[in-house]
Amino acid sequence: MATYHRRIKSSAGKDKTLPIKDKKLLNRVMDFLRLQIDLAKSDIKKYQAWRNYILFLLGFNSAFRAEDLLQLKVKDIEKGYFSIKENKTGKWQHFRMNKLLLDEIMEYVNYYNLKSNQYLFMGQKKKETHNGKTFDVIYPITRQNCQNVIIPKVIKGCGIDFPFGMHSLRKTFGYQWYKNGGSLITLMKMYNHEEPSVTLLYVMWDNEDIEKARESIYIGGINDRSRKK
């Protein structure tokens, strides 16, 4: 059987996309994507909806770039951990997955009986000839397809009113990680950034976030009811 190398395509330019900061909006996005599975009127539409849901789920939980997400194969995750070489940096990522995340992915994999060497996010089928033999090859969906077809539906369906794209999934992971008390240094390492300041800028942690964090803290004082008498 012929061996096919991964098709890697990077975007030439970078849009100024933003992370999802509001947890309610984040939940709305995932609810919207799940609903599309239930509303699908054909098997192919159901597959596409479930595929899109898993794509966003992984994007929000892995901090991978879009081009790396789209090149994932079943064998890259089926043992319970990620193992993938980043297209941009050439560095390997190896880390164990959250069990709930793995369970959701494997439910999708098992339902569609995806094989180890198949892409998680299959799209276009083409015929290719190698050494005189013709094969059906199913490539993953492209970043362009995600940006031009999937993303606009999510924006419209969820009422997103700020620049939102595939890169927003990676940024959302970082923002929510840091907002919920995750280590900035750990996040910097996940992103392969050189400085923490770069990471904060990347996830759009700005003055508004600083002020909200400051306002939420109250330590001591006569109205501190949590103190024991």
Side-chain angles (χ1 to χ4, degrees):
M1 181 177 291
T3 299
Y4 301 101
H5 296 288
R6 296 181 175 207
R7 298 195 315 166
I8 304 290
K9 289 188 178 181
S10 299
S11 57
K14 290 184 178 179
D15 297 327
K16 294 292 183 179
T17 54
L18 300 177
I20 296 178
K21 295 186 174 185
D22 184 359
K23 192 62 182 296
K24 290 182 179 179
L25 176 57
L26 183 54
N27 291 336
R28 190 188 312 156
V29 168
M30 297 311 294
D31 288 343
F32 171 79
L33 290 166
R34 275 190 293 262
L35 182 61
Q36 304 316 298
I37 302 173
D38 296 333
L39 295 179
K41 295 182 179 180
S42 67
D43 290 341
I44 186 62
K45 291 294 184 182
K46 180 176 181 178
Y47 167 73
Q48 291 171 346
W50 204 341
R51 176 199 66 193
N52 297 346
Y53 169 74
I54 295 297
L55 174 61
F56 273 66
L57 185 70
L58 268 173
F60 285 141
N61 283 280
S62 69
F64 283 168
R65 294 177 180 85
E67 58 264 30
D68 294 324
L69 275 176
L70 296 175
Q71 298 300 322
L72 282 171
K73 290 187 174 182
V74 174
K75 65 183 180 182
D76 294 322
I77 56 92
E78 63 185 346
K79 294 182 180 179
Y81 58 85
F82 280 111
S83 181
I84 190 171
K85 187 177 183 180
E86 292 184 336
N87 178 45
K88 182 176 180 179
T89 67
K91 297 179 179 179
W92 281 92
Q93 289 268 16
H94 303 284
F95 60 89
R96 188 160 298 281
M97 300 169 64
N98 178 284
K99 186 179 184 303
L100 294 176
L101 175 61
L102 177 62
D103 287 347
E104 284 217 61
I105 297 171
M106 293 310 297
E107 181 183 3
Y108 158 77
V109 167
N110 293 330
Y111 186 89
Y112 288 105
N113 194 29
L114 301 183
K115 308 304 182 185
S116 290
N117 206 43
Q118 287 183 299
Y119 290 105
L120 272 177
F121 309 113
M122 293 188 294
Q124 189 176 15
K125 178 185 288 186
K126 290 187 176 180
K127 290 186 178 295
E128 292 197 356
T129 301
H130 294 267
N131 298 324
K133 294 184 179 181
T134 301
F135 301 88
D136 285 331
V137 181
I138 302 179
Y139 286 115
I141 52 175
T142 64
R143 180 171 180 147
Q144 290 75 15
N145 179 269
C146 293
Q147 196 64 46
N148 298 330
V149 179
I150 301 173
I151 290 292
K153 290 180 180 178
V154 173
I155 289 175
K156 182 178 180 180
C158 300
I160 298 176
D161 58 359
F162 54 83
F164 182 80
M166 284 301 294
H167 218 55
S168 296
L169 309 188
R170 176 172 156 89
K171 290 183 177 183
T172 297
F173 170 89
Y175 180 86
Q176 296 295 335
W177 168 278
Y178 189 59
K179 179 182 179 181
N180 288 284
S183 164
L184 178 59
I185 299 301
T186 299
L187 182 59
M188 180 188 77
K189 295 292 186 181
M190 289 179 182
Y191 281 149
N192 283 317
H193 289 164
E194 296 296 327
E195 299 289 340
S197 58
V198 174
T199 302
L200 287 177
L201 182 63
Y202 184 81
V203 301
M204 308 297 178
W205 191 266
D206 53 27
N207 287 336
E208 182 179 355
D209 298 300
I210 294 170
E211 289 304 313
K212 285 182 178 179
R214 187 184 312 220
E215 185 181 4
S216 68
I217 293 177
Y218 176 73
I219 303 173
I222 59 174
N223 292 320
D224 186 354
R225 297 180 180 178
S226 65
R227 291 185 302 168
K228 294 181 180 180
K229 296 182 180 181

